[in-house]
Amino acid sequence: MNKEIIRYRLKFIKTDKMRYIGHLDLLKYFQRAVKRAEIPISFSQGFNPHQQMSFSMPLPLGMSGLSESVDIRLEHAVDCEELKERLNRQMSSGMEITDVRKLGENEDSGAALLAAADYTVTLDRKIEDLEEKLTETALDAEWLTEKTGKKNKTRTVDIKPLVYELSSQNDITVHAKIATGSNANLKIDLLMKYLYDKMGLEFDYLKLKVTRTELYKREENGEFTPL
Amino acid sequence: MLDEILLRVEKPARYIGNEINMVVKDKCDINFAFCFPDVYEVGMSHLGLQILYYFLNRRSDTYCQRVFAPWIDMEAQMRSHNIPLYALETGDPIKNFDFVGFTLQYEMCYTNIINMLDLAGIPVYARDRGEDDPIVIGGGPCAYNPEPLADFFDIFYIGEGEVYYDEFLDMYKQHKKSGGSRHDFLKKAMSIPCMYVPEFYDVTYNADGTLASFKPNCPEAPPKIKKAIVKDMDSVFYPDKQLVPLIEVVHDRVTLEVFRGCIRGCRFCQAGYIYRPVREKNAQTLIDCSRSLVANSGHEEISLSSLSTSDYRQFKELANRLLELYSKDKINISLPSLRIDAFSLELMQRVQEVRKSSLTFAPEAGTQRLRNVINKGLTEEDILNGSALAFSGGRNRVKLYFMCGLPTETDEDLMGIVDLANKIVDKYHEIPKEERPRPISVVASTACFVPKPFTPFQWSAQATVSEFMRKTKLVKTSMTKKQVKYTYHEPETSSMEAVLARGDRRICDVIFRAWQLGAKFDGWTEHFKYELWLKAFDETGLSKDFYACRERSYDEILPWDHISIGVSKKFFINEAEKAKAGEVTPNCRAECGMCGAKAFGCGVCYE
């Protein structure tokens, strides 16, 4: 008899002090929280069994995430609300499970589905007429920038097709929806550096406050919907 | 400001607190900064910190917060942005705390203490502190010779923290309410038998540099300060949870303290004397403890902590029950400091089903003669038989720990190290070829012997740096078998360690000067700068060799003579003489050595 595969997708917030732990430490953090909460998690087979847990997209150290996502597999079904509550009792300040949803039998993993992400970037200074400058930039046919790849080789890439939406607010905040995931991926720092360079401004990424606000999959009709 | 800095340093999670089981409190009467003078990952792995943190925080009137030595990159950022040293729980500067307590685990942390006080904006020398400054208190194993740090500390607490901290903090609260001065409080504190306040003692020196006198300078100061120890390990406080770090630290695991002390009496080992007598916890106490610790931490490993786990009388029972309880939950049991015998090998087999770790022996010396001198009960037969057993179980890697420069050591003893390593290789080759698919690997390493206070070798001269170099070179060139790898410690650090371990008050200025010249994280090979220390000695006019390489006489006043660990000087002299004669002393369970620790009225002395 085939065992039913029971999976859940957890959405969570990682912000404040918790921004300073990296992806591998976050994994460990979740594994321990699951243990303390006595969640009936499934383990992988093999010599070194580990919890069946997969994050949709690592969040870079220092960045806040308001709608991050992780899939877990359990040995038996647990009520979604209960799962959320039990895990939230184990979360430190800066971490919160915001939603738990049971996945359908044939649903793909978050990592496989992921197609785009929203970012909100608070700049290190006000830039006069920021919105106009962005609109002007949008008229360029190509956004060519240098990208450092493996073995420290740089190559020129056009990032414009990877930017789906770009807007600003009060000359100090930038919103961007950009390609994210295994198919096409743009890093937010690369986009920000391109924009700063374009405007002839000095760029120090560490001075920007970056928040990833949503992760999306792409529907058949081309529309983006949250994971 | 802190936010931006944190993104510019390595491992920012070292500096944010917010760990699982961190204590959060509102305003408290007493604010205690528990300082560990090394980097976060080392400090967070320390059991004493975990115990005292929850012990102090169980008081509703006290908030104990943690502080670690910021790593070089963070220190630079803090200094350039004028951020004073703060505690992790609240981020409050520790300058405003009532107490700043340092745990003294290792001599090579001393410059970090100076650095942390300076970063905090607290006057480094105790004499420069005023009514508004915190009271700086030291404890832990290195406090047993507090003299090299005496100028920097207001108080030293000698012994185990669980015993007198309540009384001490109650006393402080009362004193604070009545508005008494700092000076008065320090005097009052001396009514607690384990409290040493250096400023109330005067030292004079002879022309040859040895101590001429060491005397209290006020009636409240007792001539002897007595170590405090827990008498009943089953009823003493033990936390039901642990701080679980957000980043990987040296030891990420639940720690069960099985017993304190050691019955063995190895003559080089300070821990074996200062923690006397051996006091065990009952296996049931430990099992109960493990349940809540595992449930509250989510850790995947439980480690048994003691100086010699095989000597625990309920070892088999405890190990079996832990395995029974936790193997189904995929929680590993880690068993450091085991003596290798049939049971421990079988146990290791059951504990580590997959990866066969290497086998570790600590013979400490290469010949039986020298092992008798240091009273290390391990024989060549034990090692070869243990190895043979392990080889037949499929293991093929052996680690051997030795010391070089031990008292009475000759080149013959050093060659014994080579012999022993070779004999283990030969032992492996006794197995029929078809039953040993992989080649054997033996790693022998030597550390440099450092004579420590409160050991029979406290009067011994340490080898000079150049002697150490000659010795290790001799061993290195004699190791000819390709299956044996030899590693050794650099002698310069051990030489400084010997000075700091047995120094007197004049060493304070050397430490301060070395820090001024840039010494910090001296315990880290990549940061230890020997030349700075030599310069500091040069400038203060003191001789390093006077402290490290001089044989002391039994009638000399030792800088730590005013501290009592409950083991008599007479016993140590007797042990030192037996060592010279190559005579062994049986372990505490085999025969009482009349060391004096029976007076504590507990533990192994009454089994």
Side-chain angles (χ1 to χ4, degrees):
Chain A
M1 193 186 87
N2 271 340
K3 212 174 127 190
E4 192 202 345
I5 295 174
I6 306 159
R7 293 179 306 148
Y8 295 82
R9 180 158 303 148
L10 319 179
K11 300 301 283 286
F12 64 94
I13 295 175
K14 178 175 182 275
T15 186
D16 295 337
K17 287 184 172 176
M18 296 305 282
R19 282 186 294 137
Y20 297 110
I21 72 167
H23 184 64
L24 286 179
D25 292 320
L26 181 72
L27 180 66
K28 196 92 208 162
Y29 178 88
F30 262 91
Q31 288 171 348
R32 287 184 180 137
V34 161
K35 276 201 116 159
R36 289 195 305 276
E38 296 176 5
I39 307 289
I41 191 122
S42 300
F43 280 82
S44 66
Q45 303 296 309
F47 279 124
N48 202 357
H50 57 267
Q51 294 184 6
Q52 304 257 45
M53 177 184 287
S54 93
F55 288 82
S56 303
M57 186 72 186
L59 186 68
L61 192 137
M63 201 184 284
S64 289
L66 301 185
S67 188
E68 294 300 300
S69 144
V70 58
D71 295 347
I72 59 172
R73 183 176 162 185
L74 302 191
E75 283 297 290
H76 56 80
V78 178
D79 176 70
C80 289
E81 267 311 296
E82 189 197 328
L83 204 54
K84 182 173 138 184
E85 243 168 68
R86 270 161 68 178
L87 279 169
N88 269 333
R89 272 200 291 274
Q90 302 301 333
M91 292 290 127
S92 335
S93 93
M95 288 289 303
E96 191 193 336
I97 312 291
T98 49
D99 184 61
V100 176
R101 181 169 71 83
K102 193 160 186 284
L103 296 179
E105 188 87 359
N106 298 317
E107 247 178 283
D108 272 335
S109 72
L113 289 170
L114 182 68
D118 277 347
Y119 291 89
T120 297
V121 183
T122 309
L123 308 182
D124 54 336
R125 69 192 103 181
K126 279 210 167 201
I127 298 173
E128 227 173 291
D129 305 322
L130 179 58
E131 189 63 29
E132 273 166 47
K133 284 174 179 157
L134 292 182
T135 315
E136 217 170 279
T137 306
L139 296 175
D140 297 345
E142 286 182 321
W143 293 3
L144 295 179
T145 185
E146 296 273 289
K147 188 178 166 184
T148 317
K150 278 168 194 156
K151 292 180 191 166
N152 258 341
K153 272 187 188 158
T154 55
R155 59 195 173 95
T156 307
V157 286
D158 176 16
I159 59 170
K160 197 180 178 195
L162 303 176
V163 180
Y164 305 136
E165 286 174 31
L166 188 64
S167 64
S168 72
Q169 221 179 339
N170 303 331
D171 291 344
I172 190 133
T173 310
V174 169
H175 300 286
K177 182 183 262 100
I178 58 180
T180 305
S182 49
N183 273 336
N185 193 63
L186 174 61
K187 285 184 176 168
I188 186 69
D189 51 333
L190 201 64
L191 173 61
M192 293 314 295
K193 184 169 183 330
Y194 177 78
L195 296 175
Y196 268 68
D197 286 351
K198 183 83 190 167
M199 295 185 279
L201 299 169
E202 196 194 324
F203 181 69
D204 182 354
Y205 181 65
L206 297 184
K207 288 193 165 151
L208 311 184
K209 232 184 118 195
V210 185
T211 306
R212 187 152 79 193
T213 54
E214 193 58 86
L215 297 175
Y216 298 96
K217 60 178 182 288
R218 194 162 209 167
E219 305 290 348
E220 274 170 24
N221 61 10
E223 210 175 294
F224 291 111
T225 55
L227 275 185
Chain B
M1 179 55 78
L2 196 57
D3 268 357
E4 201 192 309
I5 285 172
L6 286 176
L7 291 174
R8 294 180 196 275
V9 299
E10 194 192 325
K11 300 187 191 174
R14 286 167 170 168
Y15 311 107
I16 60 169
N18 211 33
E19 298 89 340
I20 318 299
N21 299 325
M22 183 183 90
V23 177
V24 179
K25 287 189 180 186
D26 289 333
K27 280 223 167 314
C28 281
D29 293 336
I30 305 171
N31 286 295
F32 195 108
F34 188 107
C35 302
F36 195 101
D38 207 325
V39 73
Y40 179 85
E41 294 92 312
V42 175
M44 282 297 284
S45 305
H46 182 243
L47 176 62
L49 177 146
Q50 298 270 0
I51 296 176
L52 283 175
Y53 179 72
Y54 291 107
F55 179 80
L56 294 173
N57 275 320
R58 87 194 196 296
R59 293 174 62 105
S60 59
D61 61 358
T62 305
Y63 195 2
C64 172
Q65 304 191 41
R66 291 158 302 138
V67 188
F68 301 92
W71 193 245
I72 315 281
D73 57 349
M74 183 61 173
E75 184 197 336
Q77 293 284 349
M78 288 170 75
R79 287 195 188 276
S80 71
H81 292 91
N82 290 314
I83 296 172
L85 190 64
Y86 60 89
L88 295 187
E89 273 69 10
T90 57
D92 292 340
I94 63 168
K95 190 186 174 20
N96 305 330
F97 280 46
D98 298 279
F99 291 98
V100 167
F102 282 94
T103 176
L104 311 173
Q105 296 297 320
Y106 180 38
E107 290 83 356
M108 303 315 283
C109 289
Y110 288 177
T111 49
N112 280 3
I113 296 170
I114 311 293
N115 203 35
M116 287 168 79
L117 288 172
D118 182 67
L119 262 174
I122 298 167
V124 169
Y125 280 90
R127 59 171 179 263
D128 299 328
R129 288 180 202 132
E131 293 296 331
D132 292 335
D133 288 310
I135 288 169
V136 179
I137 182 163
C142 291
Y144 286 92
N145 176 21
E147 292 309 286
L149 294 173
D151 289 353
F152 312 124
F153 280 80
D154 297 302
I155 309 182
F156 290 96
Y157 180 119
I158 311 297
E160 295 165 1
E162 298 98 329
V163 186
Y164 285 117
Y165 258 114
D166 278 335
E167 187 180 333
F168 177 67
L169 295 177
D170 289 344
M171 185 186 277
Y172 176 76
K173 209 163 103 177
Q174 193 60 38
H175 183 83
K176 205 174 160 186
K177 243 182 229 160
S178 63
S181 74
R182 177 188 186 88
H183 188 79
D184 288 343
F185 175 70
L186 294 179
K187 272 195 174 172
K188 227 183 257 176
M190 291 191 292
S191 64
I192 299 174
C194 69
M195 296 293 186
Y196 169 51
V197 183
E199 68 168 89
F200 297 119
Y201 296 80
D202 291 333
V203 195
T204 59
Y205 301 93
N206 295 314
D208 65 1
T210 57
L211 265 64
S213 71
F214 190 101
K215 284 194 189 110
N217 60 25
C218 73
E220 290 88 346
K224 280 264 182 193
I225 297 95
K226 298 194 173 85
K227 86 168 177 200
I229 64 158
V230 171
K231 296 210 161 118
D232 178 8
M233 291 297 289
D234 287 314
S235 62
V236 72
F237 172 86
Y238 200 77
D240 60 0
K241 48 183 176 285
Q242 281 184 203
L243 283 155
V244 183
L246 302 174
I247 53 171
E248 196 179 324
V249 298
V250 179
H251 298 306
D252 271 312
R253 60 198 188 187
V254 159
T255 310
L256 294 177
E257 188 184 25
V258 178
F259 61 88
R260 290 185 188 169
C262 179
I263 58 169
R264 297 280 148 185
C266 299
R267 291 182 178 128
F268 54 85
C269 176
Q270 187 191 43
Y273 295 103
I274 58 177
Y275 298 126
R276 283 188 179 209
V278 165
R279 290 146 293 146
E280 293 185 337
K281 278 193 193 198
N282 193 286
Q284 189 57 51
T285 310
L286 292 166
I287 298 280
D288 293 344
C289 221
S290 73
R291 288 181 207 270
S292 49
L293 286 170
V294 167
N296 292 331
S297 67
H299 275 311
E300 287 160 336
E301 183 172 287
I302 299 173
S303 171
L304 301 185
S305 158
S306 78
L307 291 168
S308 168
T309 306
S310 301
D311 289 328
Y312 179 50
R313 287 177 301 163
Q314 291 173 284
F315 179 48
K316 276 189 191 189
E317 185 193 338
L318 178 66
N320 286 332
R321 287 182 65 190
L322 286 174
L323 278 170
E324 213 171 280
L325 265 173
Y326 295 112
S327 51
K328 65 173 189 316
D329 296 329
K330 301 178 178 65
I331 292 172
N332 297 319
I333 314 292
S334 132
L335 303 159
S337 43
L338 277 196
R339 233 188 348 274
I340 303 301
D341 57 21
F343 176 69
S344 63
L345 280 169
E346 185 225 308
L347 199 62
M348 282 157 71
Q349 208 82 351
R350 283 159 65 199
V351 171
Q352 303 141 339
E353 281 165 38
V354 194
R355 211 164 40 91
K356 287 205 171 87
S357 64
S358 64
L359 202 64
T360 305
F361 294 101
E364 310 292 0
T367 58
Q368 195 56 47
R369 184 202 70 81
L370 192 53
R371 284 194 291 272
N372 289 347
V373 168
I374 61 176
N375 206 42
K376 181 83 192 185
L378 194 64
T379 64
E380 184 174 302
E381 207 189 340
D382 293 336
I383 296 166
L384 293 179
N385 289 346
S387 303
L389 262 173
F391 294 155
S392 61
R395 282 167 202 270
N396 67 323
R397 285 181 296 152
V398 180
K399 273 192 228 161
L400 299 170
Y401 291 121
F402 296 96
M403 276 187 278
C404 74
L406 285 162
T408 77
E409 181 186 88
T410 63
D411 286 355
E412 199 181 313
D413 297 309
L414 294 171
M415 296 313 289
I417 295 174
V418 181
D419 272 356
L420 190 53
N422 289 346
K423 277 181 186 162
I424 291 172
V425 174
D426 295 341
K427 196 83 194 173
Y428 189 74
H429 290 142
E430 283 174 18
I431 305 172
K433 203 163 185 183
E434 54 280 10
E435 287 167 39
R436 45 181 164 95
R438 289 161 302 173
I440 178 153
S441 130
V442 176
V443 178
S445 72
T446 56
C448 301
F449 169 65
V450 179
K452 294 272 164 123
F454 297 111
T455 66
F457 295 148
Q458 61 183 349
W459 295 279
S460 302
Q462 191 190 37
T464 62
V465 168
S466 57
E467 277 174 77
F468 276 129
M469 285 177 170
R470 187 194 68 81
K471 285 168 191 282
T472 49
K473 196 176 166 198
L474 176 67
V475 177
K476 194 178 164 68
T477 51
S478 310
M479 290 282 189
T480 48
K481 275 201 198 279
K482 65 175 189 305
Q483 298 92 337
V484 184
K485 195 176 164 243
Y486 173 61
T487 61
Y488 53 93
H489 289 207
E490 299 295 329
E492 290 85 355
T493 306
S494 308
S495 168
M496 273 319 305
E497 189 185 328
V499 172
L500 299 178
R502 293 188 300 167
D504 55 38
R505 270 187 201 191
R506 292 169 298 187
I507 291 298
C508 295
D509 291 338
V510 178
I511 296 171
F512 185 75
R513 187 66 196 133
W515 166 75
Q516 279 186 319
L517 292 169
K520 57 191 153 194
F521 286 107
D522 296 299
W524 295 72
T525 319
E526 69 268 39
H527 291 295
F528 178 67
K529 298 188 185 88
Y530 188 49
E531 65 285 358
L532 297 184
W533 283 97
L534 294 182
K535 192 159 183 246
F537 267 105
D538 205 37
E539 289 181 13
T540 40
L542 291 167
S543 151
K544 185 176 136 296
D545 287 352
F546 173 83
Y547 292 97
C549 311
R550 177 177 61 93
E551 173 97 30
R552 307 182 188 201
S553 77
Y554 292 144
D555 48 20
E556 186 176 324
I557 299 175
L558 300 172
W560 52 91
D561 272 350
H562 55 292
I563 306 287
S564 163
I565 63 158
V567 176
S568 70
K569 201 171 200 177
K570 208 179 109 209
F571 173 79
F572 282 131
I573 293 175
N574 192 28
E575 280 294 298
E577 288 303 310
K578 281 171 87 176
K580 282 177 198 158
E583 279 176 48
V584 297
T585 296
N587 76 60
C588 293
R589 285 209 175 95
E591 186 188 320
C592 176
M594 310 292 279
C595 70
K598 196 171 182 178
F600 288 108
C602 60
V604 66
C605 315
Y606 294 85
E607 274 168 11

